[in-house]
Amino acid sequence: MEVDAVTAEHLLTHRRQLHTMPELAFKEVETSRYLAERLEALSPDRLEVGVAETGVVADVKGARPGRAVLVRADIDGLPIQEAGELAFRSARRGVMHACGHDVHMAIALEVARAMAERRAQLSGMVRFVFQPAEERGLGAKPMIEAGVLDGIDRVIGLHVWSELPVGQVSVRPGAMMAGSDMFTLTIRGAGGHGAQPQYTVDAVVIAAQVVSAIQTLASRETAPAAPVVITLGSIHGGSAANIVASEVVIQGTLRSLDTELRARLVRRIAELAEGIATAMRGHCQFSLESAVPPVVNDGSVATMVAEAARTVVGEDAVVMFEPLMVAEDFAYFLQARSGCFFLLGGAPEGARVGHHTAEFRIDERCLQLGFRVMMAAVLRLLQQD
Ligand SMILES: [Zn+2]
Ligand SMILES: [Zn+2]
């Protein structure tokens, strides 16, 4: 499927317009309005707004029978002040589309338009789901609870990726993005005078042991070939140099691709921290704040998506990028239905720019490629028996 001039222009216009107006999780009010207006113009068979607060859902039904395929795009931005001088840079102070969700929305909008235009030849139904709050891992669940998966056979989504060259597409069967567990360890001791440690239980010293011990979970208790990251990103405690701290709070995240390993490590983090604290006369409380499962693609759907991608970018440009340790709440869709999440190359020329940074950029040539791959993949999935 080639990209006509109108589609090419729409892709750029949507992406750039949406880039200027990023909004944070569950606050995507104007974004949601922008999407709903464009979708409404396609006379969809169903249009729902305000799903899970700011989500938008549109169905396009074909004239012929076929499967029901859900296309998901995430719509939220990040609390980052955009750097650089793009003509269409963020007009909202301190908020930026620094992950490429503007690209996802532009592609999904144009796929919806193309599908609506070919309704008469279309087999089955395509549901377009514009999901809020992906960055906080909080949007997918309430959308699913609101019923967006009802009647759906297959799910598909993409993420533009700034480390993958533009022109390449990565489709990986099985686990392709990590599960993410966010946890808090609250260590309690007994405070006192810094010069009289014998009357205290020092929460800082306990925390130091806990931090070191947790590093051994990946290095000593996990097989070398199993990717695991445990980052303790925040530690706070104490109030002055000469006061023994009574409490230290540590926050961390665990990333892994394997559900069983993940459950074991969550348990071990709690056991180690609680055991060390108790042995050192203190106390530790473990709490799991959030848990997003890994993104696991269905093998046969991934094969079909890879075949579709090859027709667009060519044999050699469909790759299997290494599994990413970032999380994505599309995982919840994939837990409930067979499907595939793929990476769309969008690396800008020159420097490496990371997602979630003020310098984040993508090469806009990925818009047309993403549109074409998504069209080809959805058309295949609709006809799959
Ligand atoms: Zn992100
Ligand atoms: Zn993202």
Side-chain angles (χ1 to χ4, degrees), residues 3-17 34 38 106-107 109-110 113 364 367-368 371:
V3 179
D4 57 59
V6 175
T7 305
E9 195 195 307
H10 280 197
L11 284 166
L12 271 184
T13 308
H14 291 323
R15 191 264 158 158
R16 291 180 175 186
Q17 181 59 40
Y34 183 95
R38 270 58 188 184
I107 291 173
L109 273 178
E110 279 309 285
R113 200 175 62 84
E364 286 182 319
L367 287 163
Q368 292 194 21
F371 167 81

Side-chain angles (χ1 to χ4, degrees), residues 70-351:
L70 182 153
V71 177
R72 179 274 214 163
D74 41 10
I75 68 173
D76 53 331
L78 285 156
I80 294 175
Q81 175 65 37
E82 181 162 2
E85 293 299 320
L86 272 184
F88 53 93
R89 69 180 170 276
S90 171
R92 303 231 160 91
R93 226 188 136 61
V95 187
M96 177 186 177
H97 270 300
C99 199
H101 300 183
D102 47 351
V103 171
H104 308 165
M105 288 187 275
I107 291 173
L109 273 178
E110 279 309 285
V111 172
R113 200 175 62 84
M115 291 295 179
E117 274 175 4
R118 58 164 61 205
R119 261 198 202 99
Q121 305 97 280
L122 202 64
S123 309
M125 187 265 280
V126 192
R127 176 168 298 157
F128 296 89
V129 168
F130 292 88
Q131 179 215 301
E134 189 287 320
E135 292 296 357
R136 292 176 57 201
L138 296 175
K141 255 188 168 171
M143 287 215 90
I144 292 169
E145 281 158 14
V148 300
L149 280 170
D150 294 352
I152 291 296
D153 302 306
R154 297 281 180 267
V155 296
I156 186 166
L158 67 79
H159 207 300
V160 65
W161 203 245
S162 74
E163 289 176 323
L164 192 67
V166 69
Q168 289 189 11
V169 171
S170 168
V171 188
R172 174 175 275 278
M176 56 86 67
M177 278 177 163
S180 162
D181 297 275
M182 303 282 194
F183 57 88
T184 300
L185 297 165
T186 306
I187 293 165
R188 292 205 178 85
H193 199 296
Q196 294 180 307
Q198 70 273 31
Y199 302 126
T200 72
V201 176
D202 191 340
V204 165
V205 175
I206 297 174
Q209 300 291 334
V210 167
V211 169
S212 300
I214 285 175
Q215 301 314 306
T216 65
L217 293 178
S219 69
R220 301 291 85 185
E221 295 191 22
T222 304
V228 163
V229 178
I230 304 174
T231 292
L232 304 175
S234 157
I235 180 162
H236 289 281
S239 57
N242 59 353
I243 300 173
V244 171
S246 61
E247 185 178 288
V248 173
V249 178
I250 302 171
Q251 289 179 299
T253 182
L254 162 70
R255 305 298 171 98
S256 67
L257 297 171
D258 179 288
T259 314
E260 273 171 41
L261 176 63
R262 177 177 162 231
R264 182 169 67 75
L265 289 174
V266 166
R267 200 188 71 235
R268 287 293 293 142
I269 290 168
E271 279 175 4
L272 262 187
E274 286 163 5
I276 290 167
T278 306
M280 295 179 76
R281 302 175 297 137
H283 178 75
C284 176
Q285 193 190 336
F286 171 86
S287 67
L288 192 60
E289 316 296 349
S290 72
V292 177
V295 176
V296 182
N297 285 334
D298 177 80
S300 70
V301 178
T303 303
M304 293 190 71
V305 172
E307 280 167 10
R310 277 186 205 105
T311 66
V312 175
V313 295
E315 193 76 30
D316 299 337
V318 178
V319 298
M320 266 195 225
F321 200 65
E322 64 201 48
L324 298 170
M325 298 312 277
V326 300
E328 235 292 346
D329 68 2
F330 190 66
Y332 291 112
F333 290 89
L334 288 169
Q335 261 188 343
R337 295 290 185 279
S338 305
C340 180
F341 195 63
F342 64 93
L343 297 180
L344 173 67
E349 276 185 77

